[in-house]
Amino acid sequence: MQPLALLGETTTPDGTTLSLTRRGPEFIILANGKPLMSNRMHGSEEALATFGCARVVRSAAPVVLVGGLGMGYTLRATLDVLSADATVVVAELVPAVVEWNRGALADLARRPLEDPRVRVEVGDVGQALRASHGGFDAILLDVDNGPAAFTSTTNVGLYTDGGLAAATRALRPGGVLAVWSAWDDRKFEQRLKYAGFRVAVEHVRARLKRGGPRHTIFLGYTD
Ligand SMILES: C[S@@+](CC[C@H](N)C(=O)[O-])C[C@H]1O[C@@H](n2cnc3c(N)ncnc32)[C@H](O)[C@@H]1O
């Protein structure tokens, strides 16, 4: 087996060590030594965009918030379905992740940060949500393993009643909140309904038609 090469390392605001590593063609981002994501499987990250943007494609000059950047697959799939007059705001907590996507990771998702429709905000996606009043047609969240498994302790507030109320306020009428999760979560589904969303749940394979683990996408519609 080829050795794992360390390409970069950084510390997140809550003290987690994030490492960018490479073994042959595979890039892996580790959080405190445990795999956070790899370029081997990204079908469900792309499905987050296609499900989340399904209605947005009909909007004039749509504005979509993507949080976080990871390896750029959700961002690429978002750009691929949206029109030339769209704006995609990417909120990424870790500055080094943005740098890696401009460098070693750039080609994995066909250099999405170079698309003129993209605006990068380095910071907490929760902050971007709270700062928006009806600004987004869709909010696509993939910052954790799921609503009950946080990669950052500060993320818990995204999935509480208060966090969901902030997401509702940040959406335009008819907007969509889409949340990626490694698992089903009935409590989160209930919380979305309680927050006033019409809820749909999609199950997708990590490699789409080619198998892999099954992931969950929660969709909350404001209509
Ligand atoms: C699993 S990755 C996202 C993968 C991405 N969907 C893709 O297609 O590659 C999670 C990302 O969210 C970022 N993140 C974690 N908490 C965040 C927050 N509160 N605000 C913005 N980004 C955050 C992490 O630094 C990481 O880049």
Side-chain angles (χ1 to χ4, degrees):
M1 190 188 275
Q2 297 187 47
L4 198 65
L6 181 66
L7 304 183
E9 199 153 71
T10 191
T11 306
T12 69
D14 77 343
T16 304
T17 301
L18 225 52
S19 319
L20 175 63
T21 63
R22 179 176 190 172
R23 178 179 281 130
E26 184 176 13
F27 291 87
I28 311 160
I29 297 179
L30 305 168
N32 284 340
K34 295 198 183 113
L36 178 65
M37 84 168 287
S38 140
N39 62 321
R40 276 197 317 127
M41 290 192 280
H42 45 81
S44 59
E45 284 82 357
E46 288 156 0
L48 173 68
T50 43
F51 283 116
C53 293
R55 298 195 332 181
V56 176
V57 293
R58 297 194 291 269
S59 312
V63 184
V64 174
L65 174 64
V66 175
L69 180 59
M71 294 184 171
Y73 291 110
T74 301
L75 175 60
R76 163 50 60 203
T78 302
L79 293 165
D80 284 352
V81 295
L82 293 185
S83 50
D85 61 358
T87 301
V88 184
V89 179
V90 183
E92 169 53 54
L93 188 65
V94 182
V97 171
V98 178
E99 284 164 32
W100 298 341
N101 273 269
R102 296 197 198 282
L105 300 179
D107 288 326
L108 295 182
R110 291 182 282 120
R111 301 185 163 264
L113 293 182
E114 293 175 12
D115 191 301
R117 295 171 291 173
V118 173
R119 197 174 81 223
V120 178
E121 291 184 3
V122 177
D124 179 10
V125 68
Q127 186 83 35
L129 280 176
R130 288 187 295 275
S132 164
H133 297 282
F136 298 115
D137 293 279
I139 297 167
L140 313 180
L141 284 186
D142 179 12
V143 293
D144 294 298
N145 284 332
F150 324 114
T151 58
S152 161
T153 46
T154 55
N155 285 349
V156 59
L158 291 171
Y159 312 105
T160 59
D161 292 344
L164 295 179
T168 308
R169 280 193 299 274
L171 284 168
R172 290 177 175 166
V176 185
L177 170 67
V179 180
W180 187 97
S181 174
W183 308 281
D184 277 337
D185 186 332
R186 283 291 162 86
K187 281 190 183 152
F188 182 60
E189 249 179 272
Q190 289 305 324
R191 219 173 302 137
L192 280 168
K193 287 180 187 161
Y194 182 72
F197 289 103
R198 183 171 63 77
V199 178
V201 178
E202 300 287 348
H203 295 106
V204 288
R205 293 286 195 172
R207 292 196 186 97
L208 295 184
K209 291 189 182 116
R210 289 181 292 124
R214 211 177 276 275
H215 296 149
T216 301
I217 293 167
F218 299 98
L219 296 159
Y221 299 97
T222 57
D223 60 355

